[in-house]
Amino acid sequence: VPLAGTSYLPLPPFLLNKNNRTFVNVQNQDLRCFGYAMLASIKNIPSDERPQLTKHYTEEDFRLYNLTDADMHYPVQIDDLERIECVIDMPINVFTFFDDDGKGRKPVYTSKLGDPQKATDLLFWESDMVGHFAWIRIFHAFVRDLNLSKRNEHWRKRCFSHFYVPS
């Protein structure tokens, strides 16, 4: 079964404990979670305005950024991301996790269109055979708990490695 994002899934518990601004997880009821995640990154609605609500993302927004059903096939599959990057002309990275504690995080797709360090970062996860995309608004908050030394580290998104950056 291909990995594909569908409708809303709540964030897993280990991610809920992070800063509430780290992710924007739009509460969509259709198959367009990828489109909502991309619009969340484009519009960057402040956290106090509840960007997780679909009311902030109109059909005009979907048309303006080539995120309509005519531009791509929903639900978006991971295998389609290289083609989608070209359609929407925006670099994308997608990360996931593979354990219940979230320590096993990894990239599942890094941009082929541009510099992955400057791409829009999305989180993809599955629960009960349902997949979902959310926008990672603050990448360093997403990976902060993986930094055991608590030193200032810089993460390379393509290979998901990190190195120390002197202060």
Side-chain angles (χ1 to χ4, degrees):
V1 177
L3 296 175
T6 56
S7 60
Y8 174 75
L9 285 175
L11 286 168
F14 76 90
L15 293 176
L16 286 174
N17 295 332
K18 294 186 174 294
N19 179 323
N20 67 352
R21 295 173 309 195
T22 302
F23 303 95
V24 175
N25 184 16
V26 179
Q27 298 171 353
N28 65 302
Q29 299 301 312
D30 55 18
L31 299 177
R32 300 186 302 172
C33 65
F34 176 84
Y36 284 109
M38 291 302 296
L39 287 175
S41 76
I42 293 165
K43 295 184 86 171
N44 197 10
I45 295 166
S47 295
D48 61 345
E49 294 181 27
R50 302 185 63 200
Q52 71 274 19
L53 301 178
T54 58
K55 71 178 186 177
H56 296 290
Y57 314 104
T58 66
E59 288 304 314
E60 180 59 30
D61 293 331
F62 277 89
R63 278 191 295 282
L64 182 62
Y65 296 103
N66 299 322
L67 295 166
T68 65
D69 295 329
D71 298 310
M72 62 189 64
H73 301 289
Y74 287 104
V76 167
Q77 296 182 13
I78 299 294
D79 291 345
D80 295 334
L81 290 175
E82 187 172 356
R83 181 187 58 77
I84 289 170
E85 272 190 312
C86 293
V87 169
I88 65 176
D89 195 29
M90 291 179 63
I92 304 163
N93 298 322
V94 178
F95 299 90
T96 194
F97 54 90
F98 53 87
D99 65 346
D100 291 339
D101 295 327
K103 301 291 184 192
R105 292 177 220 163
K106 66 178 183 176
V108 290
Y109 179 83
T110 53
S111 179
K112 310 287 189 283
L113 182 65
D115 181 358
Q117 294 303 115
K118 298 176 182 174
T120 297
D121 296 320
L122 303 180
L123 177 67
F124 177 81
W125 73 101
E126 290 182 298
S127 178
D128 298 324
M129 301 300 290
V130 174
H132 186 65
F133 288 97
W135 175 39
I136 304 172
R137 185 191 304 241
I138 307 171
F139 185 80
H140 70 272
F142 171 58
V143 295
R144 181 177 306 145
D145 59 326
L146 300 178
N147 177 2
L148 300 179
S149 69
K150 303 301 180 206
R151 298 184 343 185
N152 187 17
E153 293 185 347
H154 179 75
W155 285 82
R156 299 297 303 167
K157 294 177 181 178
R158 188 174 307 260
C159 60
F160 211 58
S161 65
H162 55 281
F163 56 90
Y164 172 69
V165 179
S167 300

